[in-house]
Amino acid sequence: MSGRTSRAKRKTQSGNSRISDHKQKGKVLVPPILARGDITQLPWLRDTFPDMIWICALISSLGAKRGMQLVANVVDPLHDVTETESLEGEGASPSPVFTGTLTSFDRLSPKFRPSFLEELDRAGLYERAFPTELRKALLSYEDLPARWLFEHPAYPIDPTEEDTCENTLRPVVFDSIHGQSDVTTKAKTMIVRAYLYAGKLQLTPSIAQDWFPILERYPDGVTEEERSRIEPSMRSTFLTLSQMGNEENERSIDWARSFWRQNWCKFDCVREETTKRLQQGGEGEGVVLAAHKHWVDQLNELYADAISISQDADPDLYDPDKHEVLTGLVFRQIEFVRAMIDSPALWHIDSAAGTTRGLIETRIVFKWMIRQDRDIFSRFKDYGRGKLKLYKLHAEELRDSLDEPSEALNAQIDRLQELVNGDVWEEFQHISIAGNFASVDTRRMADQVGLLEDYRLIFSPASAAVHGEWGPISQHTLTRCLNPLHRGHRIPQAPGGREMDAFNVNFALKLLTNLVDDYRTALSVA
């Protein structure tokens, strides 16, 4: 009972759902949260952070309490200014909410901007809230919202000073990468606070009674229990406010696009330096050689075992299809594993996928075929012959279309002619265009022979690697740029950066061992 309880608890905490929880729409499995149809994801770092960069910068550099207080000291007076403005004429628009985002500063009427800057100077706030290095970094961007706020005439930027933009912005982005980081949570709280201060966010009495006593002491004067209650509430409320479509949101997205795209030109990628090594056994040439010898010895034993099975079993020389097909399947995989062992480049999980997939697919097909009528083996051969014949016909068509076909092409066609007619004259060979020799997909075969779990956990991910799907590409071909100002975009891995893992070779040998055992059983060799 305790085991089931702990697993359920982990499932709830992680937010994951089982496959059975997904809703099927056509050929797509939709997770529960998206099945509602009214939920969208708001990418924090990509779309929201650039507009909140000033708030995050102060909290990141000054700490939560000082940074949040400084943001409030700058933003709160703006609401008093705009309330006065909104009373100046009939039909005046309601006062905007100044949250501390760059785009919200632009909503201050131009006629009030000089007096606002003067007020910040008199209060001694401007230099603390808009330090020179931060202003210089942000002013280097085109299309910067609230540029007027950073171009204070009394505090000019010296263009001859050393460019430290990257050093200024990198720690801010790094501290704000995750939407639930400490800096990010505090910044989102300041947005919610601005709406409360402006009277634009109405709370039920029960929520107000829960929030306000905590927010009065936040962030340093709250208990961990109170923090665990208030911070998720601030993040969820921020998300709701962010999804309220308005003109400012559109300007924020435009700025986010401009910010990230300019960073490509302004800053270089940073790549993690890696070295090729053999895991699960230490490093060094001696370890690799020792592992190679051990694997070769194992493979030679399997090869000798398979040879013995092949020689001891009666092939039925009148109808040897079963013996030949099963023997061919097994020994083909033996050679692939031998090639894998002899090439350390294939010891990485991504490169090993071709061998792993071939092994498990061969075992599935092997076990399925031996449960069928004996003619399945001749059908297997006929399907392959037809494919080879089709290849020869295509090659001949290519030769006929050329004015001067090469000798190499002629030689290849002659070789194909010999192969195609090796057992049956091609005039008596059908060409099947079905998906495979049995017209049964591999998944159904696996289910019928009790290997569905192997299909799901081995064949399917290995197929993704063989076909070059995004999953293995993102895991093994590309790596994250370590410059936070590049938003973790993916770049090619450094040459030789792939780790050689002994597990992959050991696993291939285990699969091959199972296949040889199946071979022994199928040919009834004791």
Side-chain angles (χ1 to χ4, degrees), residues 431-461:
I431 297 176
S432 172
I433 57 174
N436 65 13
F437 73 98
S439 298
V440 178
D441 62 69
T442 308
R443 185 189 183 282
R444 209 165 357 143
M445 285 186 182
D447 191 18
Q448 293 176 9
V449 299
L451 291 176
L452 186 57
E453 185 170 318
D454 295 68
Y455 177 89
R456 291 169 171 169
L457 301 180
I458 304 173
F459 178 86
S460 185

Side-chain angles (χ1 to χ4, degrees), residues 390-448:
L390 183 61
Y391 174 40
K392 183 187 79 77
L393 295 176
H394 286 320
E396 289 174 341
E397 287 181 351
L398 173 62
R399 180 174 61 184
D400 294 342
S401 69
L402 299 175
D403 294 334
E404 296 183 6
S406 67
E407 290 300 320
L409 179 58
N410 288 328
Q412 175 69 0
I413 293 174
D414 290 342
R415 174 61 177 158
L416 289 172
Q417 181 77 20
E418 181 182 347
L419 290 173
V420 168
N421 292 275
D423 291 316
V424 180
W425 285 357
E426 62 180 297
E427 287 81 0
F428 295 91
Q429 294 181 23
H430 294 291
I431 297 176
S432 172
I433 57 174
N436 65 13
F437 73 98
S439 298
V440 178
D441 62 69
T442 308
R443 185 189 183 282
R444 209 165 357 143
M445 285 186 182
D447 191 18
Q448 293 176 9

Side-chain angles (χ1 to χ4, degrees), residues 212-271:
F212 288 136
I214 300 176
L215 289 176
E216 288 174 356
R217 294 176 279 109
Y218 189 79
D220 293 346
V222 298
T223 66
E224 286 306 309
E225 189 276 334
E226 290 172 327
R227 188 184 307 280
S228 67
R229 292 198 343 252
I230 197 64
E231 290 188 341
S233 297
M234 292 296 102
R235 289 192 293 263
S236 61
T237 304
F238 168 84
L239 181 62
T240 300
L241 294 171
S242 299
Q243 292 182 330
M244 295 168 56
N246 54 49
E247 184 178 345
E248 183 179 318
N249 285 359
E250 295 177 6
R251 175 74 177 97
S252 174
I253 293 296
D254 289 341
W255 159 238
R257 293 192 186 100
S258 179
F259 175 80
W260 292 116
R261 287 170 178 169
Q262 289 182 68
N263 283 352
W264 172 253
C265 302
K266 295 166 70 67
F267 311 115
D268 294 331
C269 286
V270 177
R271 186 191 307 275

Side-chain angles (χ1 to χ4, degrees), residues 446-491:
D447 191 18
Q448 293 176 9
V449 299
L451 291 176
L452 186 57
E453 185 170 318
D454 295 68
Y455 177 89
R456 291 169 171 169
L457 301 180
I458 304 173
F459 178 86
S460 185
S463 294
V466 171
H467 295 314
E469 295 177 5
W470 175 245
I473 287 176
S474 65
Q475 293 178 72
H476 309 303
T477 304
L478 304 178
T479 187
R480 294 280 189 179
C481 171
L482 297 183
N483 189 339
L485 286 161
H486 281 191
R487 203 172 63 82
H489 78 119
R490 293 176 174 87
I491 57 179

Side-chain angles (χ1 to χ4, degrees), residues 136 157-164:
K136 182 178 180 182
I157 300 295
D158 185 356
T160 63
E161 290 181 356
E162 181 183 357
D163 187 1
T164 59

